[in-house]
Every structure is written in structure tokens, then in C-alpha cells.
Amino acid sequence: MEDMMVQSSMIEMGIWEVFVQSRVSISIIFLGNVISILIAVWLSRVLIEKGANLFLKLIFTAFAFAVFLNAFNNGLWVNFYMDGTAASLANLDAVNGAIDISASSKDFIDSVTSQGDFGKIGMFVFFVSGLLLAVIPLWFNTNNKKV
């Protein structure tokens, strides 16, 4: 029994180690997404100032949608990773039977399962607002100054 407890705790620590190591890459992915959205918004402003023609507006709109879809896809991967870690810990708890996993692992499972789609909705709103900031001023005159 003691051997199973040691083995279970080593597996749990391994799951947490993979989770912690991936947080760096998740942070880099998020920063890359934010930078790409900022570049899209900046390019939109440049095109407005230069008086872009219809063809350039269409190309930029496609680029802005590509930035949005890439950022949204990366955000989904992060959510899938959180769900996967919680599922791995829950499966370990189920397989262990009488051997309990740590309290922090149980809290993590409860947090991810009770959160539902709240993180996905927040991510979607963030990326959609970036897309709208880049595309709407390009197609609609948002300048309130009277000429």
C-alpha cells in the first residue's frame, strides 16, 4: 500500500511539473497574441491615415480576421490544456481508489470544472474587441470632427 502511495504521489507531481513548465509557453503565446492584435490595430490606423483603397481594405480585413482566428485558436489550446490537466488529476484520483490526491489537486479540479466556459467567453470577448478595434474604423468613419 505504501508503495502505491509513493507511486501515486510521483505521478501527481509529474502532472504538476508538466503543468508548471507549460505556463511559460502559455504566457509567451498570450503575449504574442496581444502583440499581433496591437499590430493589427496600428496597421488599421496607418491605412486610415494613408487613405487606403478598397483592395487594401479587403486585404487588411482578411489579415485582421486571420490574427483573430489565430489568437482565438491559441486561446482554445490554453483552455484545453487546463481542462486536460484537471482531467488527468481526476483520472489519477479515480484510479487510486482509497489513496487520495493532494488537496491542491482537488481544489484545481473543482476550480476548472466549476468555472465552465467563463474563461472561454472572456477570451472570446477580448479577441473580438481587438478585431473590432482594427476593422471598424477602417470601414466606417468614426471621426466626430466636423469638416
Side-chain angles (χ1 to χ4, degrees), residues 106-117:
K106 289 180 181 179
D107 290 343
F108 181 78
I109 294 167
D110 291 341
S111 172
V112 170
T113 55
S114 68
Q115 182 180 4
D117 289 336

Side-chain angles (χ1 to χ4, degrees), residues 121-136:
I121 293 169
M123 174 194 60
F124 183 75
V125 169
F126 176 75
F127 292 136
V128 166
S129 63
L131 173 68
L132 295 177
L133 281 172
V135 174
I136 286 180

Side-chain angles (χ1 to χ4, degrees), residues 6-50:
V6 170
Q7 189 176 20
S8 173
S9 63
M10 293 299 290
I11 292 171
E12 184 178 349
M13 286 175 39
I15 293 170
W16 280 115
E17 184 176 339
V18 170
F19 178 78
V20 169
Q21 289 175 355
S22 72
R23 299 302 290 169
V24 173
S25 63
I26 289 172
S27 299
I28 291 170
I29 287 170
F30 179 74
L31 287 175
N33 290 334
V34 169
I35 290 170
S36 65
I37 289 171
L38 289 174
I39 289 172
V41 170
W42 174 75
L43 283 174
S44 173
R45 300 302 182 251
V46 169
L47 289 174
I48 291 168
E49 288 175 8
K50 301 293 181 186

Side-chain angles (χ1 to χ4, degrees), residues 48-107:
I48 291 168
E49 288 175 8
K50 301 293 181 186
N53 60 21
L54 179 64
F55 183 67
L56 284 175
K57 287 181 180 181
L58 289 173
I59 290 173
F60 177 76
T61 301
F63 170 75
F65 273 101
V67 166
F68 162 73
L69 291 174
N70 182 45
F72 188 68
N73 183 50
N74 289 337
L76 286 177
W77 279 107
V78 171
N79 280 321
F80 293 153
Y81 178 73
M82 297 285 284
D83 294 343
T85 302
S88 296
L89 290 169
N91 287 338
L92 178 64
D93 191 29
V95 167
N96 281 345
I99 302 170
D100 284 335
I101 60 174
S102 67
S104 59
S105 293
K106 289 180 181 179
D107 290 343

